Amino acid sequence: MYNVLIADDEIEVREGLKLKVDWEEIGFRITGEASNGLEARVYWLHGGMICSLRI
């Protein structure tokens, strides 16, 4: 199981991603969320990976 941090400046987008994807079914666990890049960077510095999705 991989850990996932959801990062977006809009809370509606973060909530939508959490609700619309069955993360555990595809092997992921949501471990946190960030509202900006600086918050997400802290996660990255501790071994995570940051990806940007354009939907």
Side-chain angles (χ1 to χ4, degrees):
M1 178 112 10
Y2 294 99
N3 293 326
V4 171
L5 171 85
I6 295 177
D8 197 280
D9 60 339
E10 296 182 37
I11 192 165
E12 295 86 5
V13 173
R14 293 193 312 267
E15 291 298 320
L17 283 171
K18 289 192 293 187
L19 295 173
K20 293 183 186 249
V21 176
D22 188 351
W23 293 98
E24 291 194 8
E25 181 180 311
I26 59 175
F28 295 93
R29 174 180 38 238
I30 297 174
T31 57
E33 61 182 81
S35 63
N36 60 52
L38 292 176
E39 290 178 12
R41 184 174 182 266
V42 172
Y43 179 79
W44 178 73
L45 290 173
H46 290 96
M49 181 174 80
I50 298 175
C51 296
S52 178
L53 301 175
R54 182 169 284 193
I55 299 173

